[in-house]
Amino acid sequence: MEVTNVTEYQAIAKEKLPKMVYDYYASGAEDQWTLEENRNAFSRILFRPRILIDVSKIDMTTTILGFKISMPIMIAPTAMQKMAHPEGEYATARAASAAGTIMTLSSWATSSVEEVASTGPGIRFFQLYVYKDRNVVAQLVRRAERAGFKAIALTVDTPRLGRREADIKNRFTLPPFLTLKNFEGLDLGKMDEANDSGLASYVSGQIDRTLSWKDVKWLQTITTMPILVKGVITAEDTRLAIQAGAAGIIVSNHGARQLDYVPATISALEEVVKAAQGRVPVFLDGGVRRGTDVFKALALGASGIFIGRPVVFSLAAEGEAGVRKVLQMLRDEFELTMALSGCTSLREITRDHIVTEWDAPRARPGPRL
């Protein structure tokens, strides 16, 4: 059966992957309300398309932190991709580069920053978890910078790991033939078996719960790379992130894997965009499965979006070719949405192209008497 949309890769991945691995990628925190809401919230935003506009030429290119990319669709950091496919992060890096877009490498990748850099040219960001041992952090940031990575995506929503019940039931741990490659030389590359989730135990032992805004400032003293703060969903934290020197904000609820019952990212996006007041770009991840979703995010003020699970599911199904296909399908759908909405470039996508449930009803002329 031909795959015709991004979502279809999930069922293929479920068939192919061991249950422990599939569940790790697919599940969210606790009741998984936010997991479902990340998708559902998109379906409550409707279009107000404009017609009879010449859409024979459509330009989807954009510039992110000074880097020109082919489309506002980028790859979010997802951990341990070699559990999905033997080529793991190598395949993802090649697919992103071929599509002319940005890949974000996870701290917890099963390939190192140097290995991913060796796949060839490409614009790559590095997602950072802050470990208790700051020497480990400084070393890792320096390695990413040396390997040609262009920005740090600092994850700020994980002082502790969210309660992911599938991982507890499955006693999730990294398969023995894999390591967290960036930490291999530091004796932090292996995950012990635990009587709940091996990852939760690892986080509790290694990740720094004292992380605060002063550390965002500290990071700027050890690297020239711009810092994107990933995991902001409120206006208050948007203002604090900008004060702390963030170069951009990623509106994210960690794929609904941390605190359940936070809003969908698409529902939180506009609050963050308004608070940012154009001072820094705002990005979104979480729940994007269609080109229509990309358009809705841009209409609400996002400068671009990141996809996570579609990458690991397509990687599991078809390796590099799967990831390439996901990026191509989203690109094609987004281009079609732009055309049918009457937009020929990203700057033409406006708030007036959509209507949300929180919009005031548009003024209607009163009835004729």
Side-chain angles (χ1 to χ4, degrees), residues 18-204:
K19 179 175 163 52
M20 179 189 80
V21 172
Y22 172 79
D23 285 353
Y24 169 72
Y25 291 142
S27 62
E30 297 185 355
D31 299 330
Q32 305 192 116
W33 182 87
T34 298
L35 183 66
E36 213 174 315
E37 178 67 4
N38 268 355
R39 284 294 309 126
N40 291 342
F42 276 108
S43 69
R44 300 193 297 268
I45 298 171
L46 304 182
F47 291 124
R48 301 183 68 247
R50 301 301 306 275
I51 50 161
L52 293 175
I53 292 166
D54 176 352
V55 291
S56 56
K57 288 190 182 66
I58 290 186
D59 177 15
M60 288 181 285
T61 61
T62 188
T63 303
I64 305 289
L65 301 180
F67 299 100
K68 190 159 188 197
I69 57 173
S70 66
M71 57 182 174
I73 300 164
M74 298 166 283
I75 292 184
T78 48
M80 313 177 218
Q81 292 180 10
K82 283 186 180 175
M83 294 194 307
H85 187 275
E87 290 179 13
E89 295 84 2
Y90 289 80
T92 303
R94 291 192 295 258
S97 182
T101 193
I102 292 166
M103 172 195 183
T104 316
L105 183 70
S106 169
S107 273
W108 295 336
T110 38
S111 314
S112 68
V113 287
E114 293 84 3
E115 287 171 334
V116 169
S118 77
T119 62
I123 304 155
R124 302 187 185 102
F125 294 173
F126 181 70
Q127 176 270 336
L128 180 68
Y129 281 119
V130 176
Y131 279 59
K132 290 174 181 170
D133 182 344
R134 292 309 157 89
N135 293 326
V136 166
V137 178
Q139 205 176 324
L140 192 53
V141 168
R142 277 197 295 273
R143 281 173 55 198
E145 197 159 2
R146 268 205 307 273
F149 284 70
K150 301 300 185 207
I152 294 286
L154 174 68
T155 297
V156 294
D157 57 13
T158 312
R160 299 173 57 172
L161 201 71
R163 183 176 174 84
R164 307 164 190 178
E165 292 177 6
D167 291 349
I168 296 169
K169 285 184 167 69
N170 294 331
R171 301 281 185 265
F172 173 80
T173 189
L174 186 63
F177 55 91
L178 295 174
T179 58
L180 301 179
K181 268 286 183 183
N182 287 315
F183 299 98
E184 204 172 31
L186 302 161
D187 274 346
L188 297 168
K190 281 287 180 200
M191 213 174 280
D192 299 325
E193 303 267 336
N195 55 10
D196 53 3
S197 153
L199 184 63
S201 303
Y202 180 85
V203 167
S204 138

